[in-house]
Amino acid sequence: MKRTKIIDALKKVSYGQDINIRGWVRTCRGSKQVAFIALNDGSTINNIQIVADLEKLGEDALKPVTTGACLSVTGKLVQSQGKGQSVEVQADIIEVLGTADPNIYPLQKKGHSMEFLREIAHLRPRTNTFGAVFRIRHNMAYAIHKFFHDRGFFYFHTPIITASDCEGAGQMFQVTTMNLSDIKKDEQGNVVYDSDFFGKQASLTVSGQLEGELAAMGLGAIYTFGPTFRAENSNTPRHLAEFWMIEPEVAFYDITDNMDLAEEFIKYCVSWALENCRDDVQFLNDHFDKELIIRLEGVLKEPFARVTYTEGIKILEEAIAGGHKFEFPVFWGADLASEHERYLVEQHFKRPVILTDYPKEIKAFYMKLNDDDQTVRAMDVLFPKIGEIIGGSEREADYDKLMSRIKEMNIPMKDMWWYLDTRRFGACPHAGFGLGFERLLLFVTGMANIRDVIPFPRTPNCADF
């Protein structure tokens, strides 16, 4: 008999119909006469109840049916007599597809800490919590592609291996085929890459933005969506060494167009989660963050506040004068910390904030200078509980101004001739931003640690799976 997914079975009203359900046992309880098995196949947060009559099935039928075991159940779909579900299956045949020894199977009915579940990341998708998180992750990825596709953007694949450092930070994972125990060096002790696979130093990308800009110069409106890598020795709940980025880039956009796109985009994603992942979001709201749904709905109610960095600094300084204490100092020119960003969002404006016009010294070389020659047309979208969730800018389109900024910031551009060509040949105004996918998921799921919204987190000393 063809298998029916549990998400579909729970919607059926064709009582008395024979049905086949397959999944993993969440719980098994009952008496000598009848047992009740909660089965889940990952298609939904909700289990389906299997009613097993031991007189009909045989008293030994349920001996291998333990938490974690995989079953195929054939029986009749009937209206449930109990609370919490509309239908259940009266089992005629129970086939054990895979056993799970209860003495060693680590996932039992009791609650487990997030730290413990990270140690068994190969099994945590079987839990209710991570089933919900990863179904939401799928839906957010689908929503992102749909949003851009419906608006005429083209999905553009930028390289994972690159010779350029978009951010100028230098914290990149190197890629090499050289024998690390016998590295060739010159007289000054510098590594010689002429015999390496690419003939030059190569690394895993920190961003697809620069290549995305090239594509926008020919296709008009593009977005990237792929893995990026940063070799920062950071163990905070907001950082990963491997994460996913969404980076739209649009020709003929200015900073205002960019802000409009960012706000529309993120509201679309939040709305999609509320409409299409309601059961999973409700579960996370009930079990992890009682204000999750209120916070998600709050994002959709009002326009985001739009203020300049200078205005933001003034608000923070006034807060300090009024007695508020921050761990990190506040002054014009400071790179705002998460505590500053969250104060603006959560306590002052009480809604998401788009902060613009940052000092040029704390932003990347490619951002367009304002007329004051002190600030750039940057924009960061700040969210409650997260801080910065989007960073972007209008790009510098003028070749001479871009070169001046490159020299000013000592950016090594010997391998970036192709990027500069876009300012030499048919340059146009353009803008874009980057959204860290996992930070979006942190907000949508209410999870406290970014390691719990990606299947296999990559952090310092952690690459076990």
Side-chain angles (χ1 to χ4, degrees), residues 4-78:
T4 299
K5 287 186 177 181
I6 290 174
I7 191 172
D8 298 323
L10 292 172
K11 298 174 184 176
K12 287 182 176 292
V13 292
S14 50
Y15 307 128
Q17 174 187 350
D18 287 333
I19 193 171
N20 176 259
I21 299 292
R22 301 172 195 176
W24 294 268
V25 176
R26 288 284 196 260
T27 60
C28 182
R29 60 184 176 81
S31 63
K32 291 182 178 180
Q33 289 77 37
V34 63
F36 301 95
I37 304 165
L39 208 63
N40 190 284
D41 65 359
S43 61
T44 171
I45 191 70
N46 300 306
N47 304 324
I48 194 166
Q49 180 166 276
I50 309 298
V51 181
D53 184 335
L54 298 186
E55 184 177 341
K56 178 170 63 175
L57 296 172
E59 59 182 24
D60 294 333
L62 294 188
K63 283 187 177 179
V65 178
T66 59
T67 298
C70 184
L71 308 182
S72 173
V73 178
T74 303
K76 282 187 169 49
L77 188 75
V78 299

Side-chain angles (χ1 to χ4, degrees), residues 137-211:
R137 185 181 175 102
H138 157 78
N139 269 276
M140 287 296 91
Y142 179 81
I144 287 163
H145 285 298
K146 181 169 173 56
F147 175 87
F148 287 115
H149 176 78
D150 289 351
R151 287 156 182 77
F153 284 67
F154 299 104
Y155 181 29
F156 192 74
H157 297 129
T158 54
I160 291 175
I161 300 174
T162 180
S164 66
D165 178 2
C166 176
E167 301 295 331
Q171 294 175 313
M172 302 176 74
F173 290 102
Q174 286 197 42
V175 175
T176 181
T177 57
M178 292 190 294
N179 183 351
L180 297 183
S181 63
D182 186 22
I183 298 292
K184 182 180 177 182
K185 297 183 179 180
D186 61 18
E187 294 178 355
Q188 287 74 42
N190 300 313
V191 175
V192 177
Y193 290 94
D194 56 4
S195 61
D196 203 359
F197 187 89
F198 295 105
K200 61 177 66 174
Q201 184 175 346
S203 304
L204 298 177
T205 186
V206 298
S207 168
Q209 179 203 313
L210 301 187
E211 293 88 351

Side-chain angles (χ1 to χ4, degrees), residues 13 23 48 61 97 113 178 186 254 262 286 290 308:
V13 292
I48 194 166
L97 302 178
S113 70
M178 292 190 294
D186 61 18
D254 62 16
D286 295 343
K290 302 297 185 185
T308 66

Side-chain angles (χ1 to χ4, degrees), residues 3 45 306 321 342 394 419 443:
R3 170 200 170 207
I45 191 70
R306 299 186 182 189
R342 291 184 60 181
E394 184 176 343
Y419 182 72
F443 182 75

Side-chain angles (χ1 to χ4, degrees), residues 353-364:
V353 174
I354 305 180
L355 211 59
T356 64
D357 302 301
Y358 283 78
K360 65 180 183 179
E361 286 79 14
I362 61 173
K363 287 299 181 180

